[in-house]
Amino acid sequence: MTSTKPRRLVSTDDARIEKLERHVQALMQELHQARYEQRREALTDALTGLGNRLALVDAFTAARDSAARGAAPPVLLLLNLDSFKALKNSAGHAAGDQVLVTVAMRIQSAVRENDVVTRLGGDEFAVLLPATPQTRATAVGNRILAALEPAIDLGNNSVRCGASMGLRIAEPHHTLEDLLQEADFAVDESKSEGRSKLKVFDPATLHARQLQRQIVGELREAIRSDQLVLFYQPIVELASGRLEGCEALVRWNHPVHGLIMPDQFIPVAEATGLIAELGRWVLRTAVGQLRHWRDNPATAHHDFSMRINVSAADLQSLEFVDDVSEALAEESLTPESLVLELTESAIIQNNELDRYTLASLHRLGVGMEIDDFGAGYSSMGYLRKLPVDRVKVDRQFVKDLGKDPSQLKFLAAIQEVIRSCGLEGVWEGIETADEAEALRSIGCASGQGYYFGRPLPEGEFTAQLARQTVWPA
């Protein structure tokens, strides 16, 4: 009999287990792929295919960790497209999307392989450069700006779409939000300098901007809480010494820093749009003070006008003429009681709104005077074209009166031009009796300066009005 070995058979249970394992592995692969796709979609900007803010977070975290282990710090380039909103409004949303896609491609083509390009939303893009020195990051940024220069073809037309760019090197204490905020500040600096430029973040400039914001907030509070005060300086008829006017000069009585002169806060007010509110306060306070002096028996014998300075923003305000008219009406003062001093820089634009405001003020009947004449643009044509009554000649012409014998002839020529235009002249910077006499001798009518009196607060100026009839005493 022939004997045979029994053959080993695979059990049904083993086969079922193997099949189940293969099925589980297939499901796991599908799950991993789905998670990968889901993660990729979560990190991708749907329009441009670039990374989004989450991708920037991941890239920054990895670069920061590398820097902590000794690598160079990362650099962030942040850019906004110039005039993109206007482009989209004129060309349409589809064209705007096409521009964004083209811009994304151009940025991607200008960076290095390891740089991470992202779109943060709207027309804002960010590029994270891992372990990159500033010089190399600047070179990459300039390549991007150059790549954006050529026109973008939209089919029916083409457009140019440059960008303003800010660069910030990450520091160990930085969060991504810190980095974005400071790079965005550099973008603003780029825009203020003409756009299509790369600006590196400057901590000193940021400090100055923060200080400016602090000053603006404190100045706004100062206007509302009586921290501002007016000082008054006499304007005198040279022939008689009679007071013909006083100029209201604003000061800031700061609760911490004391008395602050206008040259320290007026430029900030002009740059931030607060000058209009400040101007209204000066107007109403000065006009109200003139009413008090006229009602006070001790000072009522003086008949003089109030002079206040007017900014370029005032001339550009449609409400300014109404503000002047209402301030005078509230105090029952005639328009002739007020003289508005206009700097040459305020009227040099000579645009339609300026002309309308000046003509309206002229019809109202208030006096108007060109201030600091000769210090800036100095066109004699203004004397004939503008509806002004007076010219206040800058102090620089008087200060050399005693040093140069020919100076008086020069001043006489200026005075003759002013008179030939049918205007009155007020001469600033008179500090001595000899200067006052010299100007009077050539027919100058009015003067202002330390010889007649320094700017004084209301109380001291009121006391001076009560005891004096001529200036100087």
Side-chain angles (χ1 to χ4, degrees):
M1 244 183 103
T2 305
S3 65
T4 61
K5 270 185 162 186
R7 193 173 59 181
R8 186 175 180 272
L9 299 176
V10 177
S11 71
T12 306
D13 288 342
D14 289 344
R16 189 181 305 114
I17 290 171
E18 289 180 7
K19 183 177 181 182
L20 182 60
E21 286 178 348
R22 289 194 297 271
H23 182 61
V24 169
Q25 288 176 352
L27 288 176
M28 289 296 293
Q29 289 178 350
E30 289 180 11
L31 181 60
H32 285 311
Q33 184 65 27
R35 286 177 176 173
Y36 171 79
E37 293 293 334
Q38 187 179 33
R39 176 66 175 168
R40 189 171 63 83
E41 290 178 6
L43 297 173
T44 302
D45 174 60
L47 175 65
T48 63
L50 298 177
N52 58 15
R53 185 176 289 266
L54 286 176
L56 183 62
V57 171
D58 281 0
F60 172 73
T61 301
R64 184 184 57 189
D65 291 345
S66 295
R69 294 191 297 269
V75 175
L76 181 71
L77 296 174
L78 188 67
L79 60 150
N80 292 147
L81 302 185
D82 295 335
S83 305
F84 178 74
K85 184 177 180 181
L87 183 154
K88 189 169 66 172
N89 289 340
S90 61
H93 286 274
D97 287 349
Q98 186 176 343
V99 167
L100 292 173
V101 170
T102 303
V103 165
M105 293 171 59
R106 291 184 178 183
I107 295 174
Q108 193 74 61
S109 69
V111 302
R112 305 166 306 175
E113 183 178 356
N114 293 332
D115 298 333
V116 179
V117 183
T118 60
R119 176 178 174 235
L120 304 184
D123 63 330
E124 187 174 46
F125 295 82
V127 183
L128 190 85
L129 292 73
T132 305
Q134 181 176 315
T135 53
R136 191 170 299 171
T138 300
V140 173
N142 286 327
R143 282 206 307 270
I144 293 172
L145 292 178
L148 297 180
E149 285 182 4
I152 297 174
D153 184 12
L154 297 178
N156 296 330
N157 66 329
S158 62
V159 297
R160 293 187 181 277
C161 197
S164 297
M165 182 180 292
L167 182 154
R168 181 57 166 131
I169 301 173
E171 296 184 12
H173 66 274
H174 271 141
T175 65
L176 179 60
E177 289 307 313
D178 294 334
L179 200 61
L180 285 167
Q181 184 177 12
E182 293 180 1
D184 189 53
F185 173 79
V187 170
D188 289 342
E189 291 295 298
S190 171
K191 291 179 179 178
S192 68
E193 293 190 9
R195 304 187 176 189
S196 292
K197 293 183 178 181
L198 185 153
K199 288 291 293 183
V200 178
F201 172 80
D202 181 3
T205 307
L206 176 61
H207 178 71
R209 180 73 66 86
Q210 290 171 335
L211 184 61
Q212 184 185 74
R213 290 190 184 123
Q214 180 183 343
I215 291 174
V216 170
E218 291 182 353
L219 183 56
R220 183 174 284 110
E221 178 62 25
I223 295 172
R224 297 170 182 171
S225 60
D226 296 326
Q227 293 178 23
L228 298 181
V229 293
L230 290 182
F231 279 45
Y232 302 92
Q233 186 174 27
I235 298 168
V236 176
E237 186 179 81
L238 294 178
S240 65
R242 180 186 68 86
L243 184 70
E244 68 174 40
C246 74
E247 183 177 1
L249 301 162
V250 67
R251 307 284 190 265
W252 181 0
N253 191 13
H254 195 281
V256 175
H257 304 296
L259 203 63
I260 300 177
M261 301 301 284
D263 59 352
Q264 295 180 265
F265 62 88
I266 292 295
V268 174
E270 289 177 334
T272 57
L274 198 57
I275 191 67
E277 188 176 349
L278 177 61
R280 281 191 294 271
W281 182 90
V282 171
L283 169 66
R284 293 187 175 277
T285 304
V287 169
Q289 184 58 57
L290 184 60
R291 178 76 271 166
H292 288 316
W293 283 329
R294 293 192 176 182
D295 291 341
N296 184 349
T299 57
H301 59 284
H302 292 289
D303 183 19
F304 60 90
S305 60
M306 179 65 70
R307 318 288 177 95
I308 67 169
N309 295 283
V310 174
S311 70
D314 291 325
L315 296 183
Q316 287 290 300
S317 170
L318 293 172
E319 294 82 21
F320 181 66
V321 178
D322 291 337
D323 289 341
V324 172
S325 179
E326 290 170 6
L328 291 169
E330 286 174 5
E331 302 297 344
S332 300
L333 291 170
T334 62
E336 294 78 11
S337 304
L338 181 65
V339 176
L340 305 176
E341 297 191 1
L342 312 157
T343 62
E344 288 182 294
S345 60
I347 59 177
I348 190 64
Q349 296 181 25
N350 196 27
N351 58 39
E352 187 173 347
L353 185 52
D354 286 349
R355 291 194 294 271
Y356 170 81
T357 302
L358 291 171
S360 299
L361 291 169
H362 183 67
R363 286 193 297 270
L364 181 61
V366 299
M368 285 189 287
E369 176 177 283
I370 298 178
D371 192 14
D372 297 332
F373 184 77
Y377 305 96
S378 301
S379 170
M380 293 298 178
Y382 287 122
L383 301 186
R384 294 186 177 277
K385 293 179 181 179
L386 294 171
V388 297
D389 313 292
R390 300 172 181 84
V391 172
K392 181 178 280 190
V393 184
D394 188 71
R395 67 185 69 246
Q396 67 175 323
F397 295 103
V398 175
K399 71 178 182 179
D400 294 328
L401 193 53
K403 303 174 185 176
D404 183 357
S406 65
Q407 184 72 1
L408 189 59
K409 292 182 179 179
F410 178 54
L411 300 189
I414 296 176
Q415 173 63 21
E416 185 58 32
V417 170
I418 293 172
R419 185 185 292 115
S420 69
C421 293
L423 304 175
E424 299 175 17
V426 179
W427 294 77
E428 288 187 294
I430 301 174
E431 297 189 355
T432 67
D434 289 342
E435 290 173 348
E437 176 57 29
L439 291 168
R440 187 201 61 76
S441 71
I442 60 173
C444 299
S446 307
Q448 181 179 359
Y450 288 175
Y451 172 63
F452 303 109
R454 294 175 179 269
L456 295 174
E458 178 273 322
E460 293 181 41
F461 195 77
T462 298
Q464 194 175 62
L465 289 175
R467 67 174 181 265
Q468 287 184 217
T469 55
V470 295
W471 275 256

